[in-house]
Amino acid sequence: MQIALYQPDIPQNTGTILRLCACLDVAAHIIEPAGFAISDRNFRRAGMDYLDQVKLTRHDSWSKFEHWRNEAGYRLILFTTKVASPYLDYRYAASDILLFGRESAGVTDEVAANADARLAIPIKSGLRSLNVAMAAAMALGEALRQTRSAS
């Protein structure tokens, strides 16, 4: 299982998600450009000393990430607030990449069109969205529940 962040805007959210990845032994990808420098102090504070424990790959662009993904043969599972299937009804595979968009704008239509599945976390009507770090934790928890055997 892997998590990819498409052009993240908020360093604290990215740091929190990378900390999640470190703790759950999940590889992470940042698809640039990001809205902050990886040396940002807020990013480092949110990730704490866990950032050195995560397998992190940075991709210069969407096209480079997509080329890498296609070569590797991974499915791309987009989490979105737009029309999508409920995330709890989806059957995850251990090799999936869970993709989360920019906090301010989500992903482009091109990125959405290239996803193998588009999933949503149902929320109360009239509310816009969950915090991306919270959504990532919920999605990753369900994906790992389905794909990792109990220890």
Side-chain angles (χ1 to χ4, degrees):
M1 194 64 56
Q2 301 178 63
I3 285 185
L5 305 176
Y6 177 80
Q7 300 180 354
D9 290 331
I10 301 174
Q12 296 91 330
N13 286 337
T14 302
T16 298
I17 292 168
L18 294 182
R19 182 177 177 178
L20 173 73
C21 290
C23 288
L24 298 181
D25 196 25
V26 170
H29 301 265
I30 294 178
I31 303 165
E32 300 200 25
F36 57 91
I38 297 302
S39 61
D40 185 289
R41 137 181 109 85
N42 292 316
F43 170 72
R44 293 262 165 223
R45 182 180 299 139
M48 296 179 65
D49 55 346
Y50 293 83
L51 294 178
D52 294 334
Q53 300 297 314
V54 66
K55 182 182 177 210
L56 174 62
T57 304
R58 293 168 61 188
H59 303 269
D60 291 345
S61 65
W62 165 253
S63 61
K64 288 183 181 176
F65 170 81
E66 189 63 352
H67 177 76
W68 168 83
R69 179 183 78 86
N70 286 322
E71 289 285 315
Y74 295 123
R75 281 193 317 184
L76 186 65
I77 314 304
L78 173 63
F79 285 79
T80 179
T81 58
K82 298 181 178 142
V83 178
S85 302
Y87 84 112
L88 292 174
D89 295 343
Y90 191 73
R91 187 128 196 146
Y92 299 90
S95 60
D96 286 344
I97 299 174
L98 310 181
L99 176 65
F100 299 88
R102 297 175 67 186
E103 293 90 343
S104 63
V107 299
T108 64
D109 291 341
E110 174 193 2
V111 170
N114 282 292
D116 296 295
R118 285 168 290 290
L119 305 179
I121 299 171
I123 62 172
K124 182 179 173 181
S125 179
L127 298 180
R128 206 170 46 251
S129 66
L130 289 167
N131 171 281
V132 70
M134 297 302 294
M138 292 174 69
L140 182 59
E142 175 60 18
L144 292 177
R145 183 191 70 79
Q146 287 186 25
T147 60
R148 285 189 177 167
S149 59
S151 9

